[in-house]
Amino acid sequence: MGVYQHLTEFAGLPVAEFDFETEEDAELPPAAGHAWAVRTSFDEESFEQVWSRFRAAVDTTAVTALVIGYWGASYDEHEADPVALLTEAAADFPALRALFLGDITGEEAEISWIEHSDITPLFTAFPELERFEIRGADGNEGRIRLEPIKSTALKRLRFESGGLPARIVRAVAASDLPNLEHLDLWLGTDTYGGDATMADLEPILTGERLPSLRHLGLEDSETQDQVAEAVAGAPVVARLESLSLAMGILTDAGAEALLSGQPLTHLRRLDLHHHYLGDTMMDRLRAALPGVDLNLDDRQETHRDGWRFIAVSE
């Protein structure tokens, strides 16, 4: 659905909404079999009140997937801290396996405005969490923190950001995640705190701490050419089934590095959508990867003043 529409499906389940408009006597679907989205809206009932009503109305012991939507999205003394609310209620969610934190559209708050606190406690409170996705992990004066985590349950980890701070990338790289299969990092731009370097990515690219990884996304980067060059020789690529370098400023130079590097013909899918490639380079990629599902959609044009842009930043 992207960052401009709320999720309608999460973790293979349809999303059931519980928000400030949900009435006390509303007829709700079964707790099991749905991903429950809890959210409020600007200048409406507080998120804490909606959250409290949700916990009273829904059998939380049967909830396997949660989507946390708009809670205020910035931290001051008047705003909720969804991490604190979730960890305090952890005992009431014994079956929780999937969590999306920040299902907030651009109409509600730009991705760079969504502030998070320290998300590390979530992995302690929910040790059986198999899927964690977060939107708005920007580092430009942001408060988001993550310490290296240990989890044998986690299989899917995604950070959607217009500027992912290097401290988050380093924490992921230092984490012990032997069963992680899917990793997406939207690296973003340094304008919004995306200051990760190739050195920060190197432990991920070796794959030594990620023996089960089958999908890697290093996306939405203003340094996408350098990322492509690093990926071209990365040991982890040989075991991947899919790779995404989409949404960034990928030019012919980055694509040339991919073609000159290790073989990519074993991949099932290579996603490069939102790029700045020329026709000749796109033809070369198609010819070199005939059996790969290659996404070259959404070609961008360099602006007359030389500017190029990533897909998601503000």
Side-chain angles (χ1 to χ4, degrees):
M1 300 295 289
V3 298
Y4 303 107
Q5 294 174 286
H6 290 145
L7 293 172
T8 58
E9 180 273 340
F10 178 59
L13 300 172
V15 170
E17 292 281 342
F18 194 104
D19 60 20
F20 64 96
E21 294 182 317
T22 304
E23 298 180 358
E24 300 287 347
D25 57 352
E27 185 175 343
L28 301 174
H34 292 85
W36 286 89
V38 186
R39 69 179 86 249
T40 188
S41 186
F42 179 74
D43 213 21
E44 297 289 350
E45 182 181 15
S46 73
F47 182 82
E48 293 98 326
Q49 290 173 307
V50 176
W51 176 248
S52 179
R53 290 198 296 108
F54 166 72
R55 292 175 59 192
V58 174
D59 178 9
T60 59
T61 64
V63 173
T64 60
L66 264 179
V67 175
I68 302 300
Y70 185 87
W71 64 83
S74 64
Y75 279 94
D76 61 36
E77 66 220 285
H78 305 297
E79 301 292 0
D81 181 353
V83 172
L85 292 173
L86 284 162
T87 55
E88 289 167 2
D92 294 338
F93 292 87
L96 189 67
R97 297 294 181 270
L99 174 62
F100 191 108
L101 183 59
D103 181 33
I104 297 170
T105 67
E107 201 169 86
E108 294 171 307
E110 298 289 357
I111 194 169
S112 61
W113 300 351
I114 305 171
E115 292 191 28
H116 295 279
S117 58
D118 186 350
I119 60 175
T120 314
L122 291 171
F123 299 95
T124 302
F126 300 100
E128 301 303 315
L129 205 62
E130 298 176 0
R131 178 171 181 161
F132 178 75
E133 305 188 27
I134 182 171
R135 178 177 298 159
D138 292 58
N140 191 17
E141 301 182 2
R143 304 178 187 182
I144 186 170
R145 293 291 184 275
L146 175 68
E147 297 298 324
I149 59 175
K150 293 183 178 182
S151 172
T152 58
L154 198 64
K155 296 180 179 180
R156 184 181 180 99
L157 181 62
R158 295 186 74 248
F159 287 82
E160 298 182 1
S161 173
L164 191 64
R167 63 179 180 271
I168 302 299
V169 175
R170 289 194 291 265
V172 171
S175 293
D176 185 6
L177 304 171
N179 295 312
L180 191 72
E181 299 172 356
H182 186 115
L183 175 63
D184 278 307
L185 303 175
W186 292 15
L187 299 171
T189 170
D190 62 2
T191 302
Y192 294 101
D195 56 353
T197 66
M198 298 308 108
D200 297 321
L201 293 172
E202 185 176 0
I204 295 172
L205 295 174
T206 67
E208 292 177 3
R209 303 181 69 89
L210 300 169
S212 299
L213 198 68
R214 296 297 177 265
H215 168 85
L216 177 61
L218 301 173
E219 301 145 311
D220 198 43
S221 176
E222 65 180 355
T223 60
Q224 204 72 62
D225 282 348
Q226 292 94 314
V227 173
E229 184 176 355
V231 165
V236 72
V237 173
R239 79 167 76 107
L240 297 180
E241 295 176 357
S242 63
L243 171 67
S244 179
L245 304 178
M247 303 169 54
I249 303 176
L250 182 70
T251 73
D252 284 2
E256 184 66 49
L258 288 177
L259 289 174
S260 302
Q262 63 189 300
L264 300 176
T265 52
H266 67 287
L267 293 174
R268 293 182 181 176
R269 179 172 174 79
L270 176 60
D271 188 355
L272 303 178
H273 83 270
H274 184 97
H275 59 82
Y276 289 84
L277 304 181
D279 289 336
T280 300
M281 181 55 70
M282 289 193 291
D283 288 341
R284 287 181 61 194
L285 285 165
R286 294 186 186 104
L289 303 169
V292 178
D293 180 7
L294 180 62
N295 188 346
L296 292 171
D297 293 346
D298 197 19
R299 181 170 71 168
Q300 303 293 303
E301 298 293 337
T302 302
H303 288 228
R304 285 180 297 177
D305 55 8
W307 285 97
R308 295 170 176 152
F309 300 97
I310 61 177
V312 179
S313 58
E314 292 188 273

